[in-house]
Amino acid sequence: MSTAEPATAPEEEDFPRLREMRWWDIDPVLVLERTLFPDDAWSRGMFWSELAHARGPGATRHYVVAEDAEGTLLGYAGLAASGDLADVQTIAVAEAAWGHGLGSRLLTDLLRAATAFECAEVMLEVRVDNLRAQRLYERYGFQPIGVRRGYYQPGNVDALVMRLTDPANPAPSTPESEPPGHG
Ligand SMILES: CC(C)(COP(=O)(O)OP(=O)(O)OC[C@H]1O[C@@H](n2cnc3c(N)ncnc32)[C@H](O)[C@@H]1OP(=O)(O)O)[C@@H](O)C(=O)NCCC(=O)NCCS
């Protein structure tokens, strides 16, 4: 090996890479979506509809994908803004990639987008039995504020509603945080 050649190509450090989700990502996104949300996967039309509001002046959506060096989709996430309120629409990481910080990177990206949309608050719903996702949100300072009964159909699973104030300065919650409310 020549001495001029670096031991590790710099670009190897840059993956998984985050970039804007485009319409041609919908097919691979749907494969992950159906694997990770078998009971209530979004349809192709729902993703098309979201992406239709993600570009140009007046855009109200921000969608991002994460891919490895070969271009394989590892995750995706989306946010909707309405006035000064934003909603985490979705966030998902391929199971093989869990636990390496990709979910955190996607959430960080969404919170940056919420700040760019000038939103003062970010809301989300998460299945009450999805403790892994709840831990991720709690680390960013999301607080449980209520429960939506039977929000996830057809399984009739309740949703925990969580809120983050000031997404520009996400602050991790302490272990002494209030327990979840009951809507
Ligand atoms: C929830 C979800 C997005 C989390 O993705 P992820 O990539 O595993 O998230 P992270 O790696 O950032 O964090 C997960 C854990 O790994 C740890 N971690 C973060 N970075 C790490 C790193 N570099 N090395 C090792 N561990 C790390 C985190 O501390 C966290 O630990 P905790 O669960 O004890 O708090 C993923 O599990 C998923 O897609 N689930 C299915 C879909 C879903 O439920 N989506 C949410 C719908 S509301």
Side-chain angles (χ1 to χ4, degrees), residues 36-37 91-94 97-105 125-127 130 132-133 135-137 139 152:
L36 293 169
F37 305 101
I91 181 164
V93 172
W98 288 5
H100 297 281
L102 185 51
S104 305
R105 285 183 60 198
E125 287 89 19
V126 54
R127 288 172 65 108
N130 191 347
R132 187 180 180 88
R135 280 200 304 272
L136 171 64
Y137 302 137
R139 273 196 282 115
Y152 295 100

PDB file of all heavy atoms in Angstrom, residues 36-37 91-94 97-105 125-127 130 132-133 135-137 139 152, ligand 1:
ATOM      1  N   LEU A  36     -41.400  -3.618   9.926  1.00  0.00           N
ATOM      2  CA  LEU A  36     -41.310  -3.007  11.258  1.00  0.00           C
ATOM      3  C   LEU A  36     -42.667  -2.644  11.838  1.00  0.00           C
ATOM      4  O   LEU A  36     -42.812  -2.538  13.057  1.00  0.00           O
ATOM      5  CB  LEU A  36     -40.429  -1.751  11.187  1.00  0.00           C
ATOM      6  CG  LEU A  36     -38.959  -2.023  10.875  1.00  0.00           C
ATOM      7  CD1 LEU A  36     -38.214  -0.739  10.561  1.00  0.00           C
ATOM      8  CD2 LEU A  36     -38.286  -2.736  12.049  1.00  0.00           C
ATOM      9  N   PHE A  37     -43.663  -2.418  10.973  1.00  0.00           N
ATOM     10  CA  PHE A  37     -45.009  -2.079  11.446  1.00  0.00           C
ATOM     11  C   PHE A  37     -46.016  -3.043  10.820  1.00  0.00           C
ATOM     12  O   PHE A  37     -46.872  -2.637  10.025  1.00  0.00           O
ATOM     13  CB  PHE A  37     -45.364  -0.629  11.083  1.00  0.00           C
ATOM     14  CG  PHE A  37     -44.379   0.396  11.581  1.00  0.00           C
ATOM     15  CD1 PHE A  37     -43.431   0.956  10.732  1.00  0.00           C
ATOM     16  CD2 PHE A  37     -44.401   0.806  12.911  1.00  0.00           C
ATOM     17  CE1 PHE A  37     -42.526   1.913  11.188  1.00  0.00           C
ATOM     18  CE2 PHE A  37     -43.495   1.757  13.381  1.00  0.00           C
ATOM     19  CZ  PHE A  37     -42.558   2.308  12.517  1.00  0.00           C
ATOM     20  N   ILE A  91     -40.620   7.095  12.370  1.00  0.00           N
ATOM     21  CA  ILE A  91     -39.165   6.925  12.495  1.00  0.00           C
ATOM     22  C   ILE A  91     -38.924   5.425  12.574  1.00  0.00           C
ATOM     23  O   ILE A  91     -39.607   4.721  13.319  1.00  0.00           O
ATOM     24  CB  ILE A  91     -38.586   7.694  13.700  1.00  0.00           C
ATOM     25  CG1 ILE A  91     -37.060   7.530  13.793  1.00  0.00           C
ATOM     26  CG2 ILE A  91     -39.248   7.295  15.002  1.00  0.00           C
ATOM     27  CD1 ILE A  91     -36.404   8.568  14.698  1.00  0.00           C
ATOM     28  N   ALA A  92     -37.994   4.929  11.778  1.00  0.00           N
ATOM     29  CA  ALA A  92     -37.801   3.489  11.690  1.00  0.00           C
ATOM     30  C   ALA A  92     -36.372   3.174  11.274  1.00  0.00           C
ATOM     31  O   ALA A  92     -35.796   3.855  10.418  1.00  0.00           O
ATOM     32  CB  ALA A  92     -38.775   2.891  10.663  1.00  0.00           C
ATOM     33  N   VAL A  93     -35.830   2.121  11.887  1.00  0.00           N
ATOM     34  CA  VAL A  93     -34.477   1.643  11.577  1.00  0.00           C
ATOM     35  C   VAL A  93     -34.555   0.130  11.365  1.00  0.00           C
ATOM     36  O   VAL A  93     -35.224  -0.568  12.146  1.00  0.00           O
ATOM     37  CB  VAL A  93     -33.502   1.968  12.741  1.00  0.00           C
ATOM     38  CG1 VAL A  93     -32.144   1.324  12.527  1.00  0.00           C
ATOM     39  CG2 VAL A  93     -33.350   3.483  12.899  1.00  0.00           C
ATOM     40  N   ALA A  94     -33.890  -0.368  10.339  1.00  0.00           N
ATOM     41  CA  ALA A  94     -33.846  -1.820  10.087  1.00  0.00           C
ATOM     42  C   ALA A  94     -33.295  -2.517  11.330  1.00  0.00           C
ATOM     43  O   ALA A  94     -32.307  -2.063  11.918  1.00  0.00           O
ATOM     44  CB  ALA A  94     -32.960  -2.112   8.884  1.00  0.00           C
ATOM     45  N   ALA A  97     -29.728  -2.939  12.292  1.00  0.00           N
ATOM     46  CA  ALA A  97     -28.931  -1.734  12.568  1.00  0.00           C
ATOM     47  C   ALA A  97     -29.296  -1.088  13.909  1.00  0.00           C
ATOM     48  O   ALA A  97     -28.765  -0.029  14.245  1.00  0.00           O
ATOM     49  CB  ALA A  97     -29.120  -0.720  11.436  1.00  0.00           C
ATOM     50  N   TRP A  98     -30.188  -1.702  14.659  1.00  0.00           N
ATOM     51  CA  TRP A  98     -30.595  -1.120  15.940  1.00  0.00           C
ATOM     52  C   TRP A  98     -29.406  -1.035  16.909  1.00  0.00           C
ATOM     53  O   TRP A  98     -28.501  -1.887  16.892  1.00  0.00           O
ATOM     54  CB  TRP A  98     -31.681  -1.976  16.612  1.00  0.00           C
ATOM     55  CG  TRP A  98     -33.026  -1.898  15.969  1.00  0.00           C
ATOM     56  CD1 TRP A  98     -33.364  -1.236  14.823  1.00  0.00           C
ATOM     57  CD2 TRP A  98     -34.231  -2.546  16.418  1.00  0.00           C
ATOM     58  NE1 TRP A  98     -34.692  -1.433  14.531  1.00  0.00           N
ATOM     59  CE2 TRP A  98     -35.249  -2.232  15.486  1.00  0.00           C
ATOM     60  CE3 TRP A  98     -34.541  -3.374  17.505  1.00  0.00           C
ATOM     61  CZ2 TRP A  98     -36.560  -2.705  15.633  1.00  0.00           C
ATOM     62  CZ3 TRP A  98     -35.841  -3.842  17.632  1.00  0.00           C
ATOM     63  CH2 TRP A  98     -36.836  -3.506  16.712  1.00  0.00           C
ATOM     64  N   GLY A  99     -29.444  -0.043  17.776  1.00  0.00           N
ATOM     65  CA  GLY A  99     -28.488   0.053  18.878  1.00  0.00           C
ATOM     66  C   GLY A  99     -27.159   0.664  18.514  1.00  0.00           C
ATOM     67  O   GLY A  99     -26.214   0.593  19.282  1.00  0.00           O
ATOM     68  N   HIS A 100     -27.089   1.316  17.342  1.00  0.00           N
ATOM     69  CA  HIS A 100     -25.837   1.968  16.929  1.00  0.00           C
ATOM     70  C   HIS A 100     -26.006   3.475  16.756  1.00  0.00           C
ATOM     71  O   HIS A 100     -25.174   4.130  16.137  1.00  0.00           O
ATOM     72  CB  HIS A 100     -25.304   1.347  15.633  1.00  0.00           C
ATOM     73  CG  HIS A 100     -24.954  -0.095  15.768  1.00  0.00           C
ATOM     74  ND1 HIS A 100     -23.782  -0.523  16.355  1.00  0.00           N
ATOM     75  CD2 HIS A 100     -25.632  -1.215  15.438  1.00  0.00           C
ATOM     76  CE1 HIS A 100     -23.750  -1.847  16.362  1.00  0.00           C
ATOM     77  NE2 HIS A 100     -24.865  -2.294  15.815  1.00  0.00           N
ATOM     78  N   GLY A 101     -27.107   3.988  17.252  1.00  0.00           N
ATOM     79  CA  GLY A 101     -27.274   5.433  17.227  1.00  0.00           C
ATOM     80  C   GLY A 101     -27.986   5.979  15.995  1.00  0.00           C
ATOM     81  O   GLY A 101     -28.127   7.196  15.872  1.00  0.00           O
ATOM     82  N   LEU A 102     -28.445   5.103  15.096  1.00  0.00           N
ATOM     83  CA  LEU A 102     -29.081   5.629  13.880  1.00  0.00           C
ATOM     84  C   LEU A 102     -30.444   6.250  14.188  1.00  0.00           C
ATOM     85  O   LEU A 102     -30.784   7.315  13.646  1.00  0.00           O
ATOM     86  CB  LEU A 102     -29.206   4.518  12.825  1.00  0.00           C
ATOM     87  CG  LEU A 102     -29.741   4.954  11.458  1.00  0.00           C
ATOM     88  CD1 LEU A 102     -28.967   6.156  10.908  1.00  0.00           C
ATOM     89  CD2 LEU A 102     -29.691   3.792  10.470  1.00  0.00           C
ATOM     90  N   GLY A 103     -31.217   5.597  15.077  1.00  0.00           N
ATOM     91  CA  GLY A 103     -32.497   6.198  15.474  1.00  0.00           C
ATOM     92  C   GLY A 103     -32.274   7.579  16.060  1.00  0.00           C
ATOM     93  O   GLY A 103     -33.024   8.522  15.762  1.00  0.00           O
ATOM     94  N   SER A 104     -31.242   7.724  16.851  1.00  0.00           N
ATOM     95  CA  SER A 104     -30.921   9.026  17.443  1.00  0.00           C
ATOM     96  C   SER A 104     -30.564  10.044  16.361  1.00  0.00           C
ATOM     97  O   SER A 104     -30.984  11.199  16.419  1.00  0.00           O
ATOM     98  CB  SER A 104     -29.744   8.886  18.409  1.00  0.00           C
ATOM     99  OG  SER A 104     -30.014   7.911  19.382  1.00  0.00           O
ATOM    100  N   ARG A 105     -29.798   9.622  15.381  1.00  0.00           N
ATOM    101  CA  ARG A 105     -29.428  10.556  14.300  1.00  0.00           C
ATOM    102  C   ARG A 105     -30.651  10.999  13.511  1.00  0.00           C
ATOM    103  O   ARG A 105     -30.783  12.166  13.135  1.00  0.00           O
ATOM    104  CB  ARG A 105     -28.417   9.891  13.351  1.00  0.00           C
ATOM    105  CG  ARG A 105     -27.019   9.798  13.944  1.00  0.00           C
ATOM    106  CD  ARG A 105     -26.046   9.192  12.948  1.00  0.00           C
ATOM    107  NE  ARG A 105     -25.946   9.978  11.724  1.00  0.00           N
ATOM    108  CZ  ARG A 105     -25.457   9.521  10.579  1.00  0.00           C
ATOM    109  NH1 ARG A 105     -25.034   8.267  10.506  1.00  0.00           N
ATOM    110  NH2 ARG A 105     -25.378  10.298   9.528  1.00  0.00           N
ATOM    111  N   GLU A 125     -46.966  10.249  18.752  1.00  0.00           N
ATOM    112  CA  GLU A 125     -47.662   9.127  19.374  1.00  0.00           C
ATOM    113  C   GLU A 125     -46.780   7.900  19.240  1.00  0.00           C
ATOM    114  O   GLU A 125     -46.143   7.701  18.205  1.00  0.00           O
ATOM    115  CB  GLU A 125     -49.007   8.832  18.682  1.00  0.00           C
ATOM    116  CG  GLU A 125     -50.099   9.834  18.949  1.00  0.00           C
ATOM    117  CD  GLU A 125     -50.098  10.966  17.945  1.00  0.00           C
ATOM    118  OE1 GLU A 125     -49.496  10.792  16.865  1.00  0.00           O
ATOM    119  OE2 GLU A 125     -50.687  12.022  18.231  1.00  0.00           O
ATOM    120  N   VAL A 126     -46.758   7.098  20.297  1.00  0.00           N
ATOM    121  CA  VAL A 126     -45.976   5.857  20.278  1.00  0.00           C
ATOM    122  C   VAL A 126     -46.792   4.788  20.991  1.00  0.00           C
ATOM    123  O   VAL A 126     -47.469   5.080  21.981  1.00  0.00           O
ATOM    124  CB  VAL A 126     -44.581   6.068  20.924  1.00  0.00           C
ATOM    125  CG1 VAL A 126     -44.672   6.647  22.328  1.00  0.00           C
ATOM    126  CG2 VAL A 126     -43.753   4.794  20.923  1.00  0.00           C
ATOM    127  N   ARG A 127     -46.740   3.565  20.460  1.00  0.00           N
ATOM    128  CA  ARG A 127     -47.482   2.467  21.104  1.00  0.00           C
ATOM    129  C   ARG A 127     -47.050   2.354  22.567  1.00  0.00           C
ATOM    130  O   ARG A 127     -45.855   2.453  22.871  1.00  0.00           O
ATOM    131  CB  ARG A 127     -47.182   1.137  20.388  1.00  0.00           C
ATOM    132  CG  ARG A 127     -47.823   1.003  19.017  1.00  0.00           C
ATOM    133  CD  ARG A 127     -47.302  -0.251  18.329  1.00  0.00           C
ATOM    134  NE  ARG A 127     -47.709  -1.452  19.021  1.00  0.00           N
ATOM    135  CZ  ARG A 127     -48.629  -2.316  18.569  1.00  0.00           C
ATOM    136  NH1 ARG A 127     -49.190  -2.114  17.392  1.00  0.00           N
ATOM    137  NH2 ARG A 127     -48.948  -3.378  19.273  1.00  0.00           N
ATOM    138  N   ASN A 130     -44.265  -0.013  23.127  1.00  0.00           N
ATOM    139  CA  ASN A 130     -43.000   0.188  22.403  1.00  0.00           C
ATOM    140  C   ASN A 130     -42.005   0.927  23.310  1.00  0.00           C
ATOM    141  O   ASN A 130     -41.743   2.123  23.154  1.00  0.00           O
ATOM    142  CB  ASN A 130     -43.244   0.961  21.106  1.00  0.00           C
ATOM    143  CG  ASN A 130     -42.036   0.958  20.190  1.00  0.00           C
ATOM    144  OD1 ASN A 130     -40.927   0.596  20.600  1.00  0.00           O
ATOM    145  ND2 ASN A 130     -42.237   1.351  18.951  1.00  0.00           N
ATOM    146  N   ARG A 132     -38.785   0.593  23.641  1.00  0.00           N
ATOM    147  CA  ARG A 132     -37.517   0.967  23.009  1.00  0.00           C
ATOM    148  C   ARG A 132     -37.636   2.369  22.401  1.00  0.00           C
ATOM    149  O   ARG A 132     -36.770   3.227  22.612  1.00  0.00           O
ATOM    150  CB  ARG A 132     -37.172  -0.077  21.941  1.00  0.00           C
ATOM    151  CG  ARG A 132     -35.806   0.115  21.344  1.00  0.00           C
ATOM    152  CD  ARG A 132     -35.504  -0.940  20.293  1.00  0.00           C
ATOM    153  NE  ARG A 132     -34.173  -0.688  19.783  1.00  0.00           N
ATOM    154  CZ  ARG A 132     -33.065  -1.179  20.313  1.00  0.00           C
ATOM    155  NH1 ARG A 132     -33.122  -2.007  21.333  1.00  0.00           N
ATOM    156  NH2 ARG A 132     -31.890  -0.871  19.806  1.00  0.00           N
ATOM    157  N   ALA A 133     -38.706   2.590  21.651  1.00  0.00           N
ATOM    158  CA  ALA A 133     -38.905   3.908  21.046  1.00  0.00           C
ATOM    159  C   ALA A 133     -39.136   4.959  22.129  1.00  0.00           C
ATOM    160  O   ALA A 133     -38.617   6.078  22.043  1.00  0.00           O
ATOM    161  CB  ALA A 133     -40.076   3.860  20.075  1.00  0.00           C
ATOM    162  N   ARG A 135     -37.904   5.068  25.078  1.00  0.00           N
ATOM    163  CA  ARG A 135     -36.608   5.428  25.680  1.00  0.00           C
ATOM    164  C   ARG A 135     -35.861   6.422  24.792  1.00  0.00           C
ATOM    165  O   ARG A 135     -35.242   7.372  25.271  1.00  0.00           O
ATOM    166  CB  ARG A 135     -35.752   4.179  25.898  1.00  0.00           C
ATOM    167  CG  ARG A 135     -36.104   3.378  27.138  1.00  0.00           C
ATOM    168  CD  ARG A 135     -34.946   2.480  27.547  1.00  0.00           C
ATOM    169  NE  ARG A 135     -34.504   1.587  26.491  1.00  0.00           N
ATOM    170  CZ  ARG A 135     -35.000   0.379  26.251  1.00  0.00           C
ATOM    171  NH1 ARG A 135     -35.972  -0.078  27.005  1.00  0.00           N
ATOM    172  NH2 ARG A 135     -34.536  -0.359  25.276  1.00  0.00           N
ATOM    173  N   LEU A 136     -35.922   6.168  23.481  1.00  0.00           N
ATOM    174  CA  LEU A 136     -35.262   7.083  22.541  1.00  0.00           C
ATOM    175  C   LEU A 136     -35.829   8.489  22.705  1.00  0.00           C
ATOM    176  O   LEU A 136     -35.081   9.468  22.843  1.00  0.00           O
ATOM    177  CB  LEU A 136     -35.469   6.576  21.102  1.00  0.00           C
ATOM    178  CG  LEU A 136     -35.055   7.495  19.958  1.00  0.00           C
ATOM    179  CD1 LEU A 136     -33.552   7.735  19.962  1.00  0.00           C
ATOM    180  CD2 LEU A 136     -35.478   6.903  18.607  1.00  0.00           C
ATOM    181  N   TYR A 137     -37.153   8.615  22.712  1.00  0.00           N
ATOM    182  CA  TYR A 137     -37.778   9.931  22.818  1.00  0.00           C
ATOM    183  C   TYR A 137     -37.471  10.582  24.165  1.00  0.00           C
ATOM    184  O   TYR A 137     -37.217  11.784  24.231  1.00  0.00           O
ATOM    185  CB  TYR A 137     -39.287   9.815  22.615  1.00  0.00           C
ATOM    186  CG  TYR A 137     -39.675   9.206  21.289  1.00  0.00           C
ATOM    187  CD1 TYR A 137     -40.688   8.248  21.193  1.00  0.00           C
ATOM    188  CD2 TYR A 137     -39.024   9.577  20.111  1.00  0.00           C
ATOM    189  CE1 TYR A 137     -41.037   7.683  19.981  1.00  0.00           C
ATOM    190  CE2 TYR A 137     -39.360   9.015  18.894  1.00  0.00           C
ATOM    191  CZ  TYR A 137     -40.370   8.069  18.834  1.00  0.00           C
ATOM    192  OH  TYR A 137     -40.705   7.509  17.626  1.00  0.00           O
ATOM    193  N   ARG A 139     -34.858  10.217  25.964  1.00  0.00           N
ATOM    194  CA  ARG A 139     -33.476  10.713  25.983  1.00  0.00           C
ATOM    195  C   ARG A 139     -33.377  12.103  25.392  1.00  0.00           C
ATOM    196  O   ARG A 139     -32.467  12.861  25.703  1.00  0.00           O
ATOM    197  CB  ARG A 139     -32.559   9.752  25.228  1.00  0.00           C
ATOM    198  CG  ARG A 139     -32.021   8.629  26.091  1.00  0.00           C
ATOM    199  CD  ARG A 139     -30.849   7.932  25.464  1.00  0.00           C
ATOM    200  NE  ARG A 139     -31.230   6.998  24.414  1.00  0.00           N
ATOM    201  CZ  ARG A 139     -30.920   7.119  23.133  1.00  0.00           C
ATOM    202  NH1 ARG A 139     -30.181   8.134  22.726  1.00  0.00           N
ATOM    203  NH2 ARG A 139     -31.317   6.219  22.262  1.00  0.00           N
ATOM    204  N   TYR A 152     -54.097   2.746  17.714  1.00  0.00           N
ATOM    205  CA  TYR A 152     -53.547   1.870  16.661  1.00  0.00           C
ATOM    206  C   TYR A 152     -54.547   0.770  16.355  1.00  0.00           C
ATOM    207  O   TYR A 152     -54.854  -0.067  17.211  1.00  0.00           O
ATOM    208  CB  TYR A 152     -52.202   1.279  17.102  1.00  0.00           C
ATOM    209  CG  TYR A 152     -51.134   2.329  17.276  1.00  0.00           C
ATOM    210  CD1 TYR A 152     -50.806   2.806  18.531  1.00  0.00           C
ATOM    211  CD2 TYR A 152     -50.476   2.867  16.170  1.00  0.00           C
ATOM    212  CE1 TYR A 152     -49.830   3.792  18.696  1.00  0.00           C
ATOM    213  CE2 TYR A 152     -49.508   3.846  16.331  1.00  0.00           C
ATOM    214  CZ  TYR A 152     -49.186   4.305  17.587  1.00  0.00           C
ATOM    215  OH  TYR A 152     -48.241   5.280  17.732  1.00  0.00           O
TER     216      TYR A 152
HETATM  217  C1  LIG B   1     -37.093   2.834  17.915  1.00  0.00           C
HETATM  218  C2  LIG B   1     -35.960   2.729  16.892  1.00  0.00           C
HETATM  219  C3  LIG B   1     -36.174   3.774  15.797  1.00  0.00           C
HETATM  220  C4  LIG B   1     -34.618   2.995  17.600  1.00  0.00           C
HETATM  221  O1  LIG B   1     -33.586   2.922  16.614  1.00  0.00           O
HETATM  222  P1  LIG B   1     -32.066   2.643  17.020  1.00  0.00           P
HETATM  223  O2  LIG B   1     -31.244   2.881  15.819  1.00  0.00           O
HETATM  224  O3  LIG B   1     -31.939   1.328  17.686  1.00  0.00           O
HETATM  225  O4  LIG B   1     -31.836   3.823  18.091  1.00  0.00           O
HETATM  226  P2  LIG B   1     -30.454   4.167  18.810  1.00  0.00           P
HETATM  227  O5  LIG B   1     -29.399   3.228  18.394  1.00  0.00           O
HETATM  228  O6  LIG B   1     -30.208   5.619  18.614  1.00  0.00           O
HETATM  229  O7  LIG B   1     -30.838   3.955  20.337  1.00  0.00           O
HETATM  230  C5  LIG B   1     -31.183   2.644  20.798  1.00  0.00           C
HETATM  231  C6  LIG B   1     -30.273   2.232  21.928  1.00  0.00           C
HETATM  232  O8  LIG B   1     -28.947   2.117  21.473  1.00  0.00           O
HETATM  233  C7  LIG B   1     -28.079   2.894  22.292  1.00  0.00           C
HETATM  234  N1  LIG B   1     -27.065   3.505  21.444  1.00  0.00           N
HETATM  235  C8  LIG B   1     -27.130   4.699  20.845  1.00  0.00           C
HETATM  236  N2  LIG B   1     -26.013   4.938  20.148  1.00  0.00           N
HETATM  237  C9  LIG B   1     -25.236   3.873  20.309  1.00  0.00           C
HETATM  238  C10 LIG B   1     -23.967   3.533  19.831  1.00  0.00           C
HETATM  239  N3  LIG B   1     -23.285   4.349  19.032  1.00  0.00           N
HETATM  240  N4  LIG B   1     -23.486   2.338  20.179  1.00  0.00           N
HETATM  241  C11 LIG B   1     -24.183   1.505  20.983  1.00  0.00           C
HETATM  242  N5  LIG B   1     -25.418   1.778  21.472  1.00  0.00           N
HETATM  243  C12 LIG B   1     -25.908   2.950  21.134  1.00  0.00           C
HETATM  244  C13 LIG B   1     -28.955   3.964  22.873  1.00  0.00           C
HETATM  245  O9  LIG B   1     -28.443   4.451  24.091  1.00  0.00           O
HETATM  246  C14 LIG B   1     -30.234   3.231  23.051  1.00  0.00           C
HETATM  247  O10 LIG B   1     -30.233   2.517  24.264  1.00  0.00           O
HETATM  248  P3  LIG B   1     -31.574   2.410  25.148  1.00  0.00           P
HETATM  249  O11 LIG B   1     -32.612   1.720  24.283  1.00  0.00           O
HETATM  250  O12 LIG B   1     -31.168   1.619  26.323  1.00  0.00           O
HETATM  251  O13 LIG B   1     -31.967   3.834  25.458  1.00  0.00           O
HETATM  252  C15 LIG B   1     -35.879   1.292  16.285  1.00  0.00           C
HETATM  253  O14 LIG B   1     -35.839   0.363  17.336  1.00  0.00           O
HETATM  254  C16 LIG B   1     -37.045   0.940  15.371  1.00  0.00           C
HETATM  255  O15 LIG B   1     -37.029   1.269  14.196  1.00  0.00           O
HETATM  256  N6  LIG B   1     -38.078   0.250  15.901  1.00  0.00           N
HETATM  257  C17 LIG B   1     -39.188  -0.226  15.083  1.00  0.00           C
HETATM  258  C18 LIG B   1     -40.009   0.915  14.544  1.00  0.00           C
HETATM  259  C19 LIG B   1     -40.535   1.773  15.664  1.00  0.00           C
HETATM  260  O16 LIG B   1     -41.012   1.283  16.671  1.00  0.00           O
HETATM  261  N7  LIG B   1     -40.495   3.095  15.459  1.00  0.00           N
HETATM  262  C20 LIG B   1     -41.004   4.069  16.419  1.00  0.00           C
HETATM  263  C21 LIG B   1     -42.443   4.299  16.143  1.00  0.00           C
HETATM  264  S1  LIG B   1     -43.143   5.468  17.308  1.00  0.00           S
END
